[in-house]
Amino acid sequence: MSVTTRGPLPGGEYDVTVIGAGVVGSAIARELARFPLRTALVEARDDVGDGTSKANTAILHTGFDAVPGSLESRLVREGSGLLAAYAAESGIPVEPLGALLVAWDEDQLGVLPGLAAKARRNGRHDTRIITAEEVRAREPELGPGVLGALEVPGESVICPWTTTLAYATQAVRSGVDLHLNCRVTSITSGPRPAPDDVHTPHTRHALHTRHALHTLHTVRGPLRTRHLVNAAGLHADRIDRLLGHADFTVTPRRGQLIVFDELARGLVRHILLPVPTALGKGVLVTPTVHGKVMLGPTAEDLDDRTATGSTAEGLALLREKGRRILPALLDEEVTAVYAGLRAATASEDYAIRAHPAQRYVTVGGIRSTGLTASMAIAAHVVELLAEGGLPLSGARDPRPVRMPNLGEAFPRPYRDAGMIAADPEYGRIVCHCERVTRGEIRDALAATIPPGSLDGLRRRTRARAGRCQGFHCGAAVRALFESEEPHR
Amino acid sequence: MNRTDPTGRTDRTVDVLVVGAGPAGLALATRAARAGAGRVEVLEREEEPGGAPRHCHHGGFGSPPLPWVTGPAYARRAVAAALDAGAALRTGVTATGWAGPLTLETTSPSGLERITARAVVLATGARERPRSARLVPGTRPAGVFTTGELQRSLHPHGHHPIGRRAVLIGAEPVARHAARTLRRTGTQVVAMLTQHPRATALPGIPLLTRTTVSELHGRGRLTGVAVRHEDGRSGVIACDTVVFTGDWIPEHDLARRGGIALAPGTRGPAVDAAFRTGTPGVFAVGNTLHGIESAATAAAEGAAAATPLLAHLSGTPWPTPGPPLLVQPPWPGPPRPTSRPPRPAPSSSAPPNP
Ligand SMILES: Cc1cc2nc3c(=O)[nH]c(=O)nc-3n(C[C@H](O)[C@H](O)[C@H](O)COP(=O)(O)OP(=O)(O)OC[C@H]3O[C@@H](n4cnc5c(N)ncnc54)[C@H](O)[C@@H]3O)c2cc1C
């Protein structure tokens, strides 16, 4: 078990390597960790989940509005159940708030029955159209003009940061090597094995021929692997081209989001989804598991895969939409503004492709549902790897992990007399807005996968994630972080 | 008088409970303790008492302001006076919420408490709005500060500079102090900008008036700030540090959690001329009422509030709410609502079944 952040990579051959430690790549690594294989997870950035996986709306979808019959529809449906169970076991905060798709005009109202029918085709039979009166009773702070809503009871909010970290932590503890700061720049592959070799089950020894290898050239030197999974998110098409495939192109679709202070949490009870119309998916308002309220996202198709900045136009648009949905929200303080890039493709479905002869699986086009579907995607990908000859025997369940709770609806250390009695550091609040204690920061810095930056520490503890953004605690948190740095 | 309930919370009672050991809270505690108000306890969430002046290493504190009295010296004096008067000062203790109209819940390394008082005083101070609250677009690089974070980062061990080239947003006194602090610790201040038509410049630092910051650039570390003049001219200033100064907002978290009405405009608790809030027995003093005033003004408010507080303790009835005292907002902006319904209990306490 190891996490490396610098220096040359270990020699020898890995059985499987996953490129990209987002929520999808980390889920795949965790799934692979069940087998007695030598597995690597390589990531360009200094932390897991530092791409799209950290900057989304954090909804555990039911898949009610997926394209019926698509791979995405199936994997979202399976994945949401798997992740809900895993979250309960691992301490990932989830709040099953249910969603209301609120209709603000006759067009939107007219769309609701069709959406309910679509939900049924996606296996969701519990949706219901409710009257304007009922909507208002359930969401008294909504702006004027509501005509009705579709209720989707199964939709939940989840902590996206803890999810990726739980997968990666469990993978590493089960023997996967995680290599951070390790961008893959090119790939050379040996000739294919003879065709009849490919579909016959064989042992690791049979595969161990000199040519049956991929060499990943990374900024930290080469890494050799027999099987390869491409879960590089926004860059998955580029990795795909390195292996000779050009069947999809990623178009980054930016989503800007505004997060409002905890004092706004009382304004909203459900996930308020927009009604999708020809004009696009629209903007939602949702509580977060961290006790705040989120407004967004925008949907802007871009060319630049690094354009994770917010814009004045984007924020103005969000505020205009937000004012209509929940007028009082706009008077609350904003704690954070950020933007994520969805890895959209021209198609309305995931681009998951197996290339068994190359012992290669590409996981592309995981657009707006990757967090929800991650565990089902992982199980699917491992099946596809088996088609390429990856031996899948000797499976065992990985030891459960228990993640520190970041959820506001669940017991947190600062309110836990037992924890404080056992260790007074859990009573020493450092980040006052978010009530993060020195004990939690200390634990995060000593964890299996320690943070590589203050942002990483924030995703593990919520330190500096509150309304003051470090005015009070920034210096103290940085000092704690830097005191640990020499050990990393 | 101490009881511990099954959740491990200890119950206690005091006469006066002051939240916040800054100039306002300490001045009030000093007066109240000296006048024999009984047990006067001051809670401070930081490890050190004294409040904001602790981080202001320049002179000019006191009443009248004296050039040789620095913030930390002023804070030490205020702490000594409170202790001297017999007030109990507890640091590292955070009031996290309310368990009754005059009962606060607290967290500290020694455990959880529920403290009931005959009078509660909110003296929780203010903070500057950070970049996100000001909705400044762009990337989210490192190198973005408020003056508060800057001061705490550089003092008292300010040996290594926080950056090489800094831009300051704002030109009020706090910005000028930030500029001096940066220079002293080896960071060049390349510009100071303000949206206002006039401000006092500092020698050697270009002052851009009628100018706002429109975007931050840089990945990893800040590389520049885009700025725009009122007349439409715009440009990018290369820098690795930007400090957002001023734009104060009261720390009103406890007030709101307690359902205490806020004053429109300032967003601090609404009080009458005797510092009484709308909730009988709860007073509010200092910068939590109005963003930023000098330490001496905050302390004067604390001292002045001692008289009505003592009157309350000796049975003077709480006035029924009259017309609220309106305070002019210190920054331009739309009026804000006065109060919100209290937060509903979280709608779930257990993870869902799959
Ligand atoms: C605004 C927005 C809202 C969303 N809301 C939701 C939601 O509510 N619910 C939901 O389920 N989903 C949501 N999503 C979608 C979800 O975030 C994505 O589907 C998910 O993050 C995809 O995960 P990933 O692992 O494929 O990609 P990423 O998270 O981008 O991970 C890919 C990783 O690969 C690394 N990498 C790339 N190239 C290389 C290389 N050459 N070498 C090494 N490493 C490399 C990257 O650095 C990155 O860490 C949303 C997305 C956005 C943008």
Side-chain angles (χ1 to χ4, degrees), chain A residues 16-58:
Chain A
V16 205
T17 296
V18 181
I19 302 177
V23 71
V24 172
S26 299
I28 295 169
R30 175 191 165 275
E31 186 70 23
L32 287 166
R34 298 173 51 221
F35 304 97
L37 298 166
R38 187 168 179 235
T39 301
L41 177 58
V42 302
E43 168 55 52
R45 311 185 64 111
D46 68 5
D47 199 0
V48 301
D50 198 39
T52 306
S53 299
K54 73 175 179 202
N56 51 51
T57 17

Side-chain angles (χ1 to χ4, degrees), chain A residues 121-312:
Chain A
R121 277 182 286 146
N122 280 316
R124 293 287 165 180
H125 298 279
D126 53 357
T127 66
R128 192 167 68 91
I129 294 175
I130 61 177
T131 62
E133 211 178 20
E134 186 176 347
V135 179
R136 200 151 285 296
R138 291 170 64 170
E139 288 289 0
E141 294 282 341
L142 278 183
V146 174
L147 298 181
L150 179 71
E151 182 193 15
V152 188
E155 300 268 304
S156 306
V157 291
I158 187 168
C159 178
W161 307 327
T162 311
T163 304
T164 306
L165 193 63
Y167 293 156
T169 297
Q170 204 173 19
V172 168
R173 289 195 192 153
S174 307
V176 171
D177 288 349
L178 170 63
H179 303 303
L180 297 169
N181 301 313
C182 190
R183 189 162 55 82
V184 175
T185 53
S186 66
I187 299 173
T188 45
S189 302
R192 296 172 179 188
D196 58 352
D197 228 24
V198 175
H199 292 292
T200 45
H202 38 221
T203 63
R204 286 161 71 174
H205 286 292
L207 249 183
H208 195 126
T209 62
R210 209 156 58 83
H211 296 297
L213 276 183
H214 300 289
T215 303
L216 308 186
H217 304 280
T218 81
V219 291
R220 292 177 50 197
L223 178 149
R224 289 186 300 160
T225 185
R226 278 183 278 270
H227 295 261
L228 184 60
V229 179
N230 165 7
L234 286 168
H235 305 283
D237 57 341
R238 294 188 175 156
I239 299 282
D240 223 29
R241 280 169 179 67
L242 296 178
L243 285 128
H245 305 284
D247 45 348
F248 68 94
T249 300
V250 172
T251 313
R253 183 171 298 155
R254 179 165 60 195
Q256 303 185 42
L257 293 138
I258 301 179
V259 182
F260 290 86
D261 185 64
E262 205 180 320
L263 291 166
R265 176 66 182 84
L267 296 174
V268 55
R269 301 168 185 175
H270 304 80
I271 302 164
L272 301 177
L273 294 176
V275 177
T277 61
L279 294 172
K281 263 199 154 184
V283 165
L284 62 86
V285 171
T286 178
T288 73
V289 289
H290 310 127
K292 304 193 176 63
V293 177
M294 182 181 273
L295 168 66
T298 58
E300 311 150 59
D301 284 330
L302 307 174
D303 298 323
D304 181 356
R305 296 172 198 226
T306 61
T308 52
S310 54
T311 62

Side-chain angles (χ1 to χ4, degrees), chain B residues 201-295:
Chain B
L202 276 178
I205 300 178
L207 175 71
L208 309 177
T209 53
R210 301 178 197 270
T211 304
T212 52
V213 53
S214 50
E215 193 176 339
L216 302 190
H217 297 299
R219 321 195 155 274
R221 181 80 192 201
L222 184 75
T223 55
V225 297
V227 300
R228 187 181 300 119
H229 191 273
E230 221 175 59
D231 65 11
R233 281 176 300 148
S234 61
V236 176
I237 307 175
C239 60
D240 62 4
T241 303
V242 60
V243 185
F244 288 89
T245 73
D247 197 355
W248 297 89
I249 173 161
E251 285 293 1
H252 60 203
D253 176 72
L254 260 191
R256 287 190 58 188
R257 285 175 198 273
I260 292 165
L262 302 188
T266 66
R267 307 226 84 199
V271 292
D272 65 9
F275 302 97
R276 291 177 290 214
T277 70
T279 302
V282 181
F283 294 80
V285 290
N287 282 344
T288 195
L289 293 180
H290 39 50
I292 197 71
E293 291 288 352
S294 73

Side-chain angles (χ1 to χ4, degrees), chain B residues 87-165:
Chain B
L89 197 51
R90 298 177 59 212
T91 59
V93 183
T94 306
T96 58
W98 302 77
L102 291 174
T103 305
L104 284 169
E105 294 184 328
T106 68
T107 293
S108 78
S110 51
L112 305 183
E113 288 187 324
R114 206 162 20 221
I115 309 175
T116 302
R118 295 167 61 212
V120 171
V121 181
L122 302 177
T124 48
R127 66 174 188 276
E128 292 165 296
R129 281 207 173 78
R131 175 260 175 117
S132 51
R134 302 179 189 216
L135 293 175
V136 175
T139 54
R140 301 176 77 196
V144 182
F145 296 87
T146 47
T147 319
E149 181 174 0
L150 178 78
Q151 288 174 325
R152 286 161 174 75
S153 301
L154 289 179
H155 289 287
H157 330 281
H159 332 287
H160 72 110
I162 203 120
R164 290 148 57 107
R165 291 166 57 88

